Amino acid sequence: MTQKLYGGKEIKPLEVMMNRFVMDYSVDITTAFNGLLDYIIGYFDPMGAPIEGWPFKREQNNRMYEMMYQYIQIMDEQLAHKQWFDAWGDLFMALYANGADKNQFFTPPSLVNMMTEVAMEGLGEPTGDVRGFGRRHIINDPSCGSSRNLLAGFSKYVYLYDRKPYLSGEDIDSLCCKMSAVNMMMHGCFGEVVCHNTLAEPDKVRLGYIINETMYPIPSDLPSIRRSTNPADFACTSAMFIMRRKNEESRTKAPPETPPPVSKTEEKERKKPAQLTL
């Protein structure tokens, strides 16, 4: 029986490899998809930190490398004639039957580009340095998904202003954050991705990624993704983290001592005019 494929022709080679991996090793699609993202993030981690809880063996690692290589080839082909391309979002929709299995649907590229055209005109000068990346505008998406809006905003900004903005993506879904991190790295973006609840825990970081810090301030062709859980490392959490810490410190300080009550007799004595003696 011929296997049904849902993705576009651009990502079909990677979709086929992923489905074969799932069948050959009897793993679920989420484990395989998550594993490939972790493999790529670990491969480009400048700190060389080991991946916690890595479930795969040598033969499976070799297959992961082949899939990563296939992904890089796809991106090279697509970015040669497109401003941006979200391979991960397309692959996710394909592997999860167009998103229905997880009730997640990503915005169509045509709609993303239209919204970007409306939002990106008429920006003023950036006001300050951003997390070690120099003076830059920040483009933020508090529910970034696979970062389609951020990628489109990045491409439009570079076209209009001939310099890179700083991208800040946030999402409650760790899989979306990993897709965003790899997407941003492959597009040469400067930025961050933070996994947290932007409403309930805006100053906390469950898992975060700093993107392409190896490319600034000295221009290089060395992409990178560095993992961190420190709120002070991220533009979207650092200000609130510092504010919360100051509030906690003020609450823990001992209240000022109140003077003992003064009796009525002592109060009358204090009110008497001072007598000068010669």
Side-chain angles (χ1 to χ4, degrees):
M1 184 176 70
T2 304
Q3 184 181 15
K4 186 177 181 180
L5 300 175
Y6 293 88
K9 64 182 186 332
E10 298 91 347
I11 55 98
K12 265 193 172 55
L14 186 55
E15 183 185 354
V16 170
M17 295 176 74
M18 181 69 75
N19 279 308
R20 285 176 180 167
F21 185 93
V22 168
M23 290 186 292
D24 289 348
Y25 299 108
S26 300
V27 298
D28 63 89
I29 193 64
T30 299
T31 300
F33 195 85
N34 206 39
L36 179 56
L37 287 165
D38 282 335
Y39 184 90
I40 296 173
I41 291 170
Y43 192 90
F44 288 97
D45 184 351
M47 310 303 293
I51 303 171
E52 295 182 5
W54 183 249
F56 302 109
K57 306 300 181 185
R58 181 186 295 271
E59 181 183 346
Q60 296 161 318
N61 291 343
N62 292 336
R63 296 277 289 272
M64 286 288 177
Y65 178 84
E66 292 170 1
M67 287 190 286
M68 180 182 73
Y69 186 76
Q70 179 65 68
Y71 163 69
I72 293 173
Q73 282 188 312
I74 291 171
M75 293 302 298
D76 283 344
E77 293 170 3
Q78 295 305 310
L79 293 181
H81 62 276
K82 294 180 181 178
Q83 291 185 326
W84 65 275
F85 179 68
D86 176 21
W88 291 109
D90 287 355
L91 184 62
F92 177 92
M93 297 282 282
L95 295 174
Y96 287 97
N98 289 332
D101 289 355
K102 290 175 72 70
N103 294 316
Q104 288 177 294
F105 303 90
F106 298 121
T107 310
S110 57
L111 182 56
V112 170
N113 288 329
M114 183 197 72
M115 293 189 297
T116 303
E117 289 288 336
V118 172
M120 293 301 297
E121 296 284 353
L123 297 177
E125 287 296 316
T127 56
D129 291 347
V130 182
R131 313 308 304 158
F133 285 88
R135 288 169 57 85
R136 300 186 187 277
H137 282 111
I138 298 177
I139 302 176
N140 174 262
D141 187 344
S143 182
C144 63
S146 59
S147 74
R148 290 187 170 190
N149 287 311
L150 291 173
L151 295 178
F154 171 82
S155 299
K156 182 66 175 179
Y157 186 99
V158 171
Y159 173 76
L160 290 174
Y161 303 104
D162 195 27
R163 65 176 285 127
K164 293 182 179 182
Y166 184 88
L167 305 185
S168 177
E170 305 169 79
D171 205 283
I172 197 171
D173 188 325
S174 62
L175 196 61
C176 285
C177 290
K178 292 174 184 180
M179 286 191 284
S180 291
V182 177
N183 261 337
M184 288 162 61
M185 179 195 70
M186 287 299 297
H187 284 77
C189 306
F190 296 150
E192 64 188 39
V193 183
V194 174
C195 181
H196 65 173
N197 185 325
T198 54
L199 297 177
E201 49 181 23
D203 60 340
K204 296 181 180 178
V205 178
R206 300 178 190 173
L207 181 63
Y209 303 100
I210 301 167
I211 314 300
N212 285 335
E213 62 186 347
T214 54
M215 291 181 161
Y216 185 85
I218 301 173
S220 75
D221 295 325
L222 298 174
S224 67
I225 303 177
R226 178 166 65 86
R227 289 168 281 182
S228 174
T229 55
N230 182 2
D233 285 345
F234 302 96
C236 66
T237 56
S238 57
M240 291 188 179
F241 172 72
I242 293 170
M243 186 183 302
R244 179 172 65 83
R245 189 169 57 183
K246 287 181 177 179
N247 290 337
E248 290 174 350
E249 289 174 355
S250 64
R251 285 196 298 267
T252 56
K253 287 181 179 177
E257 294 184 3
T258 55
V262 179
S263 65
K264 291 183 178 181
T265 304
E266 289 176 328
E267 190 174 352
K268 287 180 180 180
E269 290 295 327
R270 289 181 182 180
K271 290 181 179 179
K272 286 182 180 181
Q275 301 265 340
L276 294 178
T277 57
L278 299 176

